[in-house]
Amino acid sequence: MKLQRKNRLRALSLGAVAVSGALALTACGSDDTGSKSTGDKATSSATSASAIKCDDAKGQLQASGSSAQKNAIDAWVKEFTQACSGVQINYNPTGSGAGVTAFTQGQTAFAGSDSPLKPEEVGAAAKACGGNPAIDLPMVGGPIAIGYNLPGVDGLVLDASTIAKIFDGKITKWNDAAIAKLNPNAKLPSTKIQAFHRSDESGTTDNFTKYLKAVAPSDWNYSGGKAWQAKGGQSAQGSAGLAQQVKQTAGAISYFELSYAADGISTVDLKTDAATPVKASVENATKAIASAEVKGSGNDLSLGLNYKPTTEGAYPLTLVTYEIVCEKGNKADTLPATKAFLNYIASEDGQKLLTDAKYAPIPAEIITKVRAAVSSLS
């Protein structure tokens, strides 16, 4: 009994001091997220599971969409289904565009999208919700890393103008004068640049091009959106597909969430108006997301991101992934599981899982509103 009491006290003490989410993530091991398990796995799993409320959740829950949040979803599902064994959650990372389409066609309980619903999607979403509005709930934040494969070149620095020209086919060699000016101490080869973009409709593409359009409008003359518009380049399916192409292709460059750069892919430091180029990191992305403004009304919490933050060290190339769900009119057989799962991922414990998985938790002021919106789903 004394030993059990000591273990409980130890778990409570660890929970009180964990501010980065590392403790919660240790329960996930390395099966799904690639992170290494440390500490007392049994203790952390028990602590996390005890905070999950299953209520009347049971059965299968179908969801799809953003591949950006896949690693976060994997970690969340593992924790949630350990606590709520009567629920099976099937998340298919088909991309934001396909996820929204599946949701509006009534095929899924919720969609993951790296962009809020577009005006032209609102009507179809409401139809799927029995005439009720669908709402955008920000759950996952994080940096969009620009990964590259250039052996011997570390700490590559690029600015928005140069990135725009690379992905628009206007800069084609790695030793181009524009790149050399930003990297005076690097030995840049004459290797041909192999720029890869998403072949599927993607919220990551939408956010990446929004950044280029906002910061380098004279060099990026496209309207933007989930579908890639620039000419040339090569394509691959999903963030995982882009990361794989960068790993295996000399001279390659592409964009994907930081979690996909975990396997040794080098990432670009962004030259901004700050004195020092900014690294793609969870902490630096959080600084940028904190300056976002809620643009939606009521329980819709779509955000307006600031691509020109003034905070020192803020990494401006970020995205926020939303879970899109019916505010009312959810199917009776999936509503309990939907609410229970969304309640968990928006909870303090759920958000703590994000940091070590290389995602940024949603700022406290915003996630508090998300929790209130989830509790009102019907």
Side-chain angles (χ1 to χ4, degrees):
M1 292 297 290
K2 290 182 178 179
L3 180 59
Q4 292 177 345
R5 184 178 181 183
K6 287 181 179 179
N7 284 340
R8 287 196 298 271
L9 290 173
R10 177 173 176 266
L12 289 172
S13 176
L14 285 171
V17 301
V19 296
S20 68
L23 176 62
L25 190 61
T26 57
C28 301
S30 59
D31 294 342
D32 297 317
T33 66
S35 61
K36 295 181 180 179
S37 178
T38 59
D40 189 338
K41 183 175 180 180
T43 301
S44 60
S45 292
T47 303
S48 179
S50 67
I52 298 174
K53 296 180 179 180
C54 304
D55 295 326
D56 298 320
K58 59 183 179 180
Q60 290 194 0
L61 198 61
Q62 304 292 336
S64 65
S66 166
S67 64
Q69 69 169 355
K70 178 185 180 298
N71 294 334
I73 288 284
D74 286 348
W76 279 332
V77 167
K78 187 171 185 177
E79 291 294 321
F80 182 82
T81 53
Q82 282 179 348
C84 306
S85 57
V87 181
Q88 179 181 343
I89 300 176
N90 301 310
Y91 183 82
N92 190 359
T94 54
S96 297
V100 170
T101 297
F103 175 76
T104 59
Q105 293 177 348
Q107 299 173 6
T108 55
F110 65 89
S113 176
D114 304 323
S115 301
L117 287 171
K118 305 293 185 185
E120 60 270 23
E121 297 169 333
V122 170
K127 185 176 180 180
C129 297
N132 302 289
I135 54 177
D136 304 288
L137 302 177
M139 289 288 190
V140 184
I144 299 175
I146 301 177
Y148 66 96
N149 183 340
L150 206 58
V153 179
D154 298 320
L156 184 73
V157 176
L158 296 176
D159 58 15
S161 173
T162 306
I163 294 167
K165 292 174 182 177
I166 287 173
F167 282 90
D168 198 24
K170 295 174 182 176
I171 293 178
T172 60
K173 299 287 186 179
W174 277 111
N175 62 349
D176 186 273
I179 302 176
K181 183 178 180 180
L182 292 165
N183 300 272
N185 298 321
K187 294 182 179 180
L188 297 169
S190 60
T191 306
K192 180 182 178 181
I193 295 175
Q194 307 280 354
F196 286 88
H197 58 265
R198 289 281 287 270
S199 59
D200 53 321
E201 289 199 355
S202 160
T204 311
T205 293
D206 191 18
N207 282 274
F208 177 60
T209 56
K210 279 180 179 176
Y211 165 74
L212 296 179
K213 186 178 178 181
V215 185
S218 61
D219 298 307
W220 192 257
N221 300 310
Y222 302 95
S223 60
K226 295 177 181 177
W228 184 258
Q229 296 175 329
K231 307 298 182 182
Q234 302 177 64
S235 64
Q237 175 82 19
S239 294
L242 292 182
Q244 182 61 32
Q245 289 298 329
V246 170
K247 286 184 68 174
Q248 67 186 24
T249 307
I253 187 170
S254 191
Y255 57 93
F256 35 75
E257 297 67 44
L258 184 60
S259 61
Y260 288 92
D263 295 329
I265 296 177
S266 298
T267 59
V268 167
D269 295 347
L270 285 183
K271 178 70 173 70
T272 66
D273 290 336
T276 304
V278 186
K279 293 186 177 298
S281 72
V282 169
E283 294 78 12
N284 291 342
T286 299
K287 292 177 183 178
I289 294 172
S291 65
E293 295 182 1
V294 175
K295 297 295 186 181
S297 59
N299 283 331
D300 183 84
L301 298 171
S302 57
L303 302 176
L305 296 176
N306 179 9
Y307 293 112
K308 296 180 180 180
T310 57
T311 304
E312 189 72 21
Y315 184 83
L317 182 47
T318 63
L319 61 74
V320 170
T321 297
Y322 301 85
E323 313 310 336
I324 298 173
V325 64
C326 298
E327 183 174 25
K328 297 180 180 179
N330 288 279
K331 296 177 181 178
D333 59 338
T334 59
L335 176 60
T338 300
K339 287 188 71 171
F341 183 64
L342 295 182
N343 267 320
Y344 165 59
I345 68 178
S347 72
E348 184 176 351
D349 283 348
Q351 289 290 300
K352 280 181 179 179
L353 282 177
L354 294 176
T355 303
D356 279 4
K358 299 189 182 298
Y359 293 98
I362 300 301
E365 181 180 350
I366 299 172
I367 202 65
T368 299
K369 296 177 181 179
V370 171
R371 292 166 188 157
V374 172
S375 67
S376 69
L377 297 179
S378 63

PDB file of all heavy atoms in Angstrom, residues 205-218:
ATOM      1  N   THR A 205      -0.785  23.261 -48.645  1.00  0.00           N
ATOM      2  CA  THR A 205      -0.537  24.082 -49.830  1.00  0.00           C
ATOM      3  C   THR A 205      -1.213  25.439 -49.694  1.00  0.00           C
ATOM      4  O   THR A 205      -0.625  26.486 -49.995  1.00  0.00           O
ATOM      5  CB  THR A 205      -1.046  23.373 -51.094  1.00  0.00           C
ATOM      6  OG1 THR A 205      -0.263  22.200 -51.327  1.00  0.00           O
ATOM      7  CG2 THR A 205      -0.961  24.276 -52.312  1.00  0.00           C
ATOM      8  N   ASP A 206      -2.451  25.442 -49.222  1.00  0.00           N
ATOM      9  CA  ASP A 206      -3.196  26.681 -49.051  1.00  0.00           C
ATOM     10  C   ASP A 206      -2.447  27.634 -48.121  1.00  0.00           C
ATOM     11  O   ASP A 206      -2.263  28.822 -48.417  1.00  0.00           O
ATOM     12  CB  ASP A 206      -4.582  26.360 -48.487  1.00  0.00           C
ATOM     13  CG  ASP A 206      -5.527  27.558 -48.513  1.00  0.00           C
ATOM     14  OD1 ASP A 206      -5.253  28.521 -49.247  1.00  0.00           O
ATOM     15  OD2 ASP A 206      -6.548  27.514 -47.801  1.00  0.00           O
ATOM     16  N   ASN A 207      -1.986  27.118 -46.984  1.00  0.00           N
ATOM     17  CA  ASN A 207      -1.278  27.966 -46.021  1.00  0.00           C
ATOM     18  C   ASN A 207       0.096  28.389 -46.522  1.00  0.00           C
ATOM     19  O   ASN A 207       0.539  29.520 -46.294  1.00  0.00           O
ATOM     20  CB  ASN A 207      -1.147  27.229 -44.685  1.00  0.00           C
ATOM     21  CG  ASN A 207      -2.430  27.259 -43.882  1.00  0.00           C
ATOM     22  OD1 ASN A 207      -2.692  28.199 -43.142  1.00  0.00           O
ATOM     23  ND2 ASN A 207      -3.244  26.230 -44.032  1.00  0.00           N
ATOM     24  N   PHE A 208       0.789  27.475 -47.198  1.00  0.00           N
ATOM     25  CA  PHE A 208       2.106  27.788 -47.752  1.00  0.00           C
ATOM     26  C   PHE A 208       2.007  28.923 -48.766  1.00  0.00           C
ATOM     27  O   PHE A 208       2.787  29.890 -48.736  1.00  0.00           O
ATOM     28  CB  PHE A 208       2.687  26.533 -48.408  1.00  0.00           C
ATOM     29  CG  PHE A 208       4.014  26.727 -49.088  1.00  0.00           C
ATOM     30  CD1 PHE A 208       5.124  27.149 -48.370  1.00  0.00           C
ATOM     31  CD2 PHE A 208       4.159  26.469 -50.447  1.00  0.00           C
ATOM     32  CE1 PHE A 208       6.364  27.320 -48.998  1.00  0.00           C
ATOM     33  CE2 PHE A 208       5.383  26.630 -51.077  1.00  0.00           C
ATOM     34  CZ  PHE A 208       6.484  27.058 -50.351  1.00  0.00           C
ATOM     35  N   THR A 209       1.026  28.845 -49.663  1.00  0.00           N
ATOM     36  CA  THR A 209       0.885  29.876 -50.689  1.00  0.00           C
ATOM     37  C   THR A 209       0.296  31.171 -50.128  1.00  0.00           C
ATOM     38  O   THR A 209       0.579  32.251 -50.646  1.00  0.00           O
ATOM     39  CB  THR A 209       0.046  29.359 -51.872  1.00  0.00           C
ATOM     40  OG1 THR A 209      -1.226  28.891 -51.398  1.00  0.00           O
ATOM     41  CG2 THR A 209       0.751  28.214 -52.575  1.00  0.00           C
ATOM     42  N   LYS A 210      -0.508  31.076 -49.072  1.00  0.00           N
ATOM     43  CA  LYS A 210      -0.987  32.298 -48.404  1.00  0.00           C
ATOM     44  C   LYS A 210       0.196  33.086 -47.845  1.00  0.00           C
ATOM     45  O   LYS A 210       0.221  34.324 -47.914  1.00  0.00           O
ATOM     46  CB  LYS A 210      -1.951  31.947 -47.272  1.00  0.00           C
ATOM     47  CG  LYS A 210      -3.372  31.663 -47.716  1.00  0.00           C
ATOM     48  CD  LYS A 210      -4.248  31.315 -46.517  1.00  0.00           C
ATOM     49  CE  LYS A 210      -5.669  31.049 -46.944  1.00  0.00           C
ATOM     50  NZ  LYS A 210      -6.515  30.617 -45.788  1.00  0.00           N
ATOM     51  N   TYR A 211       1.150  32.366 -47.289  1.00  0.00           N
ATOM     52  CA  TYR A 211       2.352  33.014 -46.751  1.00  0.00           C
ATOM     53  C   TYR A 211       3.117  33.715 -47.874  1.00  0.00           C
ATOM     54  O   TYR A 211       3.505  34.890 -47.738  1.00  0.00           O
ATOM     55  CB  TYR A 211       3.232  31.979 -46.064  1.00  0.00           C
ATOM     56  CG  TYR A 211       4.644  32.447 -45.800  1.00  0.00           C
ATOM     57  CD1 TYR A 211       4.921  33.364 -44.780  1.00  0.00           C
ATOM     58  CD2 TYR A 211       5.703  31.985 -46.580  1.00  0.00           C
ATOM     59  CE1 TYR A 211       6.220  33.810 -44.546  1.00  0.00           C
ATOM     60  CE2 TYR A 211       7.008  32.417 -46.341  1.00  0.00           C
ATOM     61  CZ  TYR A 211       7.256  33.324 -45.329  1.00  0.00           C
ATOM     62  OH  TYR A 211       8.542  33.759 -45.106  1.00  0.00           O
ATOM     63  N   LEU A 212       3.349  33.014 -48.996  1.00  0.00           N
ATOM     64  CA  LEU A 212       4.082  33.617 -50.108  1.00  0.00           C
ATOM     65  C   LEU A 212       3.347  34.826 -50.671  1.00  0.00           C
ATOM     66  O   LEU A 212       3.956  35.857 -50.978  1.00  0.00           O
ATOM     67  CB  LEU A 212       4.300  32.579 -51.209  1.00  0.00           C
ATOM     68  CG  LEU A 212       5.173  31.373 -50.846  1.00  0.00           C
ATOM     69  CD1 LEU A 212       5.267  30.420 -52.031  1.00  0.00           C
ATOM     70  CD2 LEU A 212       6.563  31.811 -50.386  1.00  0.00           C
ATOM     71  N   LYS A 213       2.039  34.709 -50.777  1.00  0.00           N
ATOM     72  CA  LYS A 213       1.239  35.806 -51.318  1.00  0.00           C
ATOM     73  C   LYS A 213       1.254  37.017 -50.387  1.00  0.00           C
ATOM     74  O   LYS A 213       1.295  38.170 -50.837  1.00  0.00           O
ATOM     75  CB  LYS A 213      -0.199  35.331 -51.542  1.00  0.00           C
ATOM     76  CG  LYS A 213      -1.092  36.340 -52.233  1.00  0.00           C
ATOM     77  CD  LYS A 213      -2.481  35.764 -52.466  1.00  0.00           C
ATOM     78  CE  LYS A 213      -3.399  36.794 -53.119  1.00  0.00           C
ATOM     79  NZ  LYS A 213      -4.760  36.245 -53.329  1.00  0.00           N
ATOM     80  N   ALA A 214       1.266  36.764 -49.082  1.00  0.00           N
ATOM     81  CA  ALA A 214       1.235  37.860 -48.111  1.00  0.00           C
ATOM     82  C   ALA A 214       2.580  38.552 -47.980  1.00  0.00           C
ATOM     83  O   ALA A 214       2.643  39.776 -47.826  1.00  0.00           O
ATOM     84  CB  ALA A 214       0.794  37.330 -46.743  1.00  0.00           C
ATOM     85  N   VAL A 215       3.671  37.780 -48.044  1.00  0.00           N
ATOM     86  CA  VAL A 215       4.990  38.328 -47.755  1.00  0.00           C
ATOM     87  C   VAL A 215       5.765  38.691 -49.020  1.00  0.00           C
ATOM     88  O   VAL A 215       6.580  39.611 -49.011  1.00  0.00           O
ATOM     89  CB  VAL A 215       5.798  37.349 -46.881  1.00  0.00           C
ATOM     90  CG1 VAL A 215       7.134  37.951 -46.471  1.00  0.00           C
ATOM     91  CG2 VAL A 215       5.013  36.967 -45.629  1.00  0.00           C
ATOM     92  N   ALA A 216       5.520  37.970 -50.121  1.00  0.00           N
ATOM     93  CA  ALA A 216       6.243  38.246 -51.370  1.00  0.00           C
ATOM     94  C   ALA A 216       5.251  38.349 -52.536  1.00  0.00           C
ATOM     95  O   ALA A 216       5.333  37.589 -53.509  1.00  0.00           O
ATOM     96  CB  ALA A 216       7.274  37.142 -51.632  1.00  0.00           C
ATOM     97  N   PRO A 217       4.317  39.288 -52.470  1.00  0.00           N
ATOM     98  CA  PRO A 217       3.262  39.370 -53.494  1.00  0.00           C
ATOM     99  C   PRO A 217       3.782  39.643 -54.906  1.00  0.00           C
ATOM    100  O   PRO A 217       3.177  39.198 -55.884  1.00  0.00           O
ATOM    101  CB  PRO A 217       2.376  40.525 -52.997  1.00  0.00           C
ATOM    102  CG  PRO A 217       3.272  41.346 -52.116  1.00  0.00           C
ATOM    103  CD  PRO A 217       4.191  40.359 -51.465  1.00  0.00           C
ATOM    104  N   SER A 218       4.900  40.335 -55.023  1.00  0.00           N
ATOM    105  CA  SER A 218       5.431  40.633 -56.359  1.00  0.00           C
ATOM    106  C   SER A 218       6.088  39.415 -56.999  1.00  0.00           C
ATOM    107  O   SER A 218       6.299  39.382 -58.222  1.00  0.00           O
ATOM    108  CB  SER A 218       6.438  41.783 -56.283  1.00  0.00           C
ATOM    109  OG  SER A 218       7.540  41.430 -55.458  1.00  0.00           O
TER     110      SER A 218
END
